[in-house]
Amino acid sequence: QVQLVESGGGLVQAGGSLRLSCAASGSIFSFNSVGWYCQAPGKQRELVAAITSGGSRNYADSVKGRFTISRDNAKNTVYLQMNSLKPEETAVYYCYAEKFGLGYWGQGTQVTVSS
C-alpha cells in the first residue's frame, strides 16, 4: 500500500515562500514520477511540477523560475520549493506518484497566499 503524506502548507503573504514536502511510504526512486498538483476552489486540479525517477523535471509555465521540485531518495521525500508566491496560487496542493501505471494521491495540504 502506497501512502503519500504532504506537509508544509500554510498562510504566507504574497511574495513569500513555502516548502512543501511529500513523504512516501516506499522508495521514491521506485516511482516512475512524482509530482505536485494544485486545486483551487471551483477549478480543476492541475499540474504544478513533476520529477521522474531519472531526474527530469517539468513545470507549469506559470511557476517556471519560481518553483523548484527536488527529491531526497534517502528520506523518500519529494519537495516543492515555492518562491514569490502569488494570491492566485492559493489552493490545496496534492502530491501524486505513479508506478507501474497506477497513480497515488496524498491527502493534500492547504496553501493560502494573502495579498
Side-chain angles (χ1 to χ4, degrees):
Q1 183 75 12
V2 174
Q3 288 188 321
L4 303 172
V5 180
E6 302 101 329
S7 60
L11 173 65
V12 65
Q13 289 188 332
S17 299
L18 284 174
R19 188 177 80 156
L20 306 183
S21 299
C22 172
S25 57
S27 170
I28 284 287
F29 194 72
S30 70
F31 295 103
N32 293 332
S33 67
V34 181
W36 288 94
Y37 286 71
C38 68
Q39 187 168 23
K43 295 187 176 181
Q44 289 187 331
R45 197 171 295 188
E46 56 186 20
L47 177 69
V48 177
I51 185 168
T52 69
S53 58
S56 298
R57 295 168 171 84
N58 67 291
Y59 296 94
D61 287 343
S62 61
V63 307
K64 286 179 180 177
R66 297 186 297 118
F67 290 14
T68 302
I69 189 168
S70 62
R71 68 173 190 231
D72 185 331
N73 292 335
K75 295 182 178 180
N76 295 325
T77 301
V78 171
Y79 302 99
L80 183 67
Q81 178 67 43
M82 306 187 293
N83 299 328
S84 302
L85 282 160
K86 304 175 181 180
E88 56 265 37
E89 291 169 332
T90 293
V92 178
Y93 284 71
Y94 296 90
C95 182
Y96 174 80
E98 185 269 326
K99 179 166 64 174
F100 303 133
L102 297 177
Y104 304 89
W105 291 97
Q107 82 287 352
T109 185
Q110 176 70 45
V111 171
T112 303
V113 186
S114 63
S115 57

